[in-house]
Amino acid sequence: MTLLLPQVKAETLRSQVENQLRQAIVGGLLKPGQKLVERELCERLGVSRPSLREALRRLEAEKLIVNVPHRGPEVASMTLAEARDLYAMRRLLEGFAAREFTRLATDEQVKALAKAVKRLREAGHKNNRAGVLEAKADFYDTLLGGCGNALVQEILGSLLSRVSLLRATSLMLPERLPQSLDEIDAMLHCIQSKDAAGAQAIADRHVQNAEQAALGVFEKISHPSH
């Protein structure tokens, strides 16, 4: 009898490596400007160089990694001007996504969003940084998946990957996390009430407040003596 098993696809392995590296960057395990040594990463992840390099190329496309001449890959750094530009674009697109999700999402998608919000609040109450970041990612995956615009989904998804470089620090500020959770609860309430304009307004305010918190931390890190 021949045992039929699906072959492990190279794409699956590459995605796993990519996700682990992304989580390490977003979670702060790999710091901005840190050099990425292929040999060390291959040993730590237990993968071949081709698999690692393909994952690095994908993360470079997301601008989480940069290839520096004569140095090789390293975790991307961000200037204050770049961070401000990111948040300006995020504000435009996130408000649109919240409005369109409210108009277009199915009941199942709204329920999935509510579950992500519940997990986010539970992780926040436990001060579980990894859980907060994971639940926030699920929230945005659902929101973007139901906004009915593939281009906004692609562009904002990419922006959020870069914003994660700042969010990982600012989201766990004692004063910011409860505020962020309240804002997302309010956005969910508007979505469930089919209040598209209200959802857009709250999303806009949420990004504004997130920007203030993230850039405040950014400036302290960049100018520790000030």
Side-chain angles (χ1 to χ4, degrees):
M1 176 180 170
T2 301
L3 184 62
L4 298 177
L5 291 173
Q7 290 187 333
V8 176
K9 296 180 180 179
E11 177 76 9
T12 303
L13 178 60
R14 194 268 304 152
S15 295
Q16 290 174 351
V17 176
E18 180 186 325
N19 288 335
Q20 287 193 53
L21 288 173
R22 185 185 293 107
Q23 289 171 11
I25 292 170
V26 170
L29 185 61
L30 295 173
K31 309 291 185 184
Q34 181 173 340
K35 181 175 172 57
L36 301 175
V37 181
E38 287 187 358
R39 175 180 52 78
E40 293 178 359
L41 289 175
C42 287
E43 290 175 359
R44 288 171 63 182
L45 295 170
V47 297
S48 66
R49 288 203 174 192
S51 295
L52 176 67
R53 286 173 178 170
E54 180 60 28
L56 291 175
R57 279 193 289 270
R58 292 294 295 268
L59 294 176
E60 186 178 2
E62 293 181 18
K63 300 188 183 300
L64 293 178
I65 286 174
V66 293
N67 249 310
V68 181
H70 311 301
R71 277 180 54 85
E74 64 180 42
V75 179
S77 300
M78 197 182 302
T79 67
L80 186 60
E82 288 172 335
R84 284 179 173 145
D85 288 348
L86 272 179
Y87 274 101
M89 184 60 71
R90 177 189 170 188
R91 187 175 164 189
L92 286 172
L93 296 180
E94 195 162 315
F96 174 89
R99 185 189 73 210
E100 294 303 286
F101 183 93
T102 306
R103 289 198 320 109
L104 302 173
T106 65
D107 290 343
E108 289 73 19
Q109 287 172 321
V110 174
K111 289 177 183 176
L113 194 73
K115 287 181 180 178
V117 171
K118 182 180 178 182
R119 290 197 304 272
L120 177 59
R121 183 164 285 282
E122 289 171 349
H125 286 161
K126 295 176 182 176
N127 206 34
N128 178 353
R129 173 172 169 164
V132 166
L133 293 173
E134 183 179 341
K136 198 77 181 286
D138 289 343
F139 172 84
Y140 279 111
D141 284 346
T142 306
L143 184 73
L144 295 179
C147 76
N149 190 308
L151 190 57
V152 168
Q153 182 177 5
E154 177 186 349
I155 295 172
L156 185 53
S158 177
L159 286 178
L160 288 170
S161 289
R162 298 189 69 197
V163 167
S164 295
L165 294 170
L166 301 169
R167 183 195 297 142
T169 301
S170 66
L171 194 59
M172 299 310 291
L173 289 172
E175 67 275 18
R176 174 57 191 156
L177 182 58
Q179 182 187 40
S180 178
L181 294 173
D182 287 344
E183 290 161 1
I184 289 174
D185 278 343
M187 192 191 311
L188 175 64
H189 177 72
C190 285
I191 289 170
Q192 290 172 326
S193 303
K194 301 297 183 184
D195 179 3
Q200 182 174 14
I202 292 170
D204 185 272
R205 185 166 70 247
H206 175 67
V207 176
Q208 278 188 295
N209 291 337
E211 178 182 11
Q212 290 177 0
L215 297 190
V217 172
F218 187 94
E219 289 181 319
K220 286 180 183 178
I221 293 172
S222 302
H223 305 94
S225 61
H226 291 260

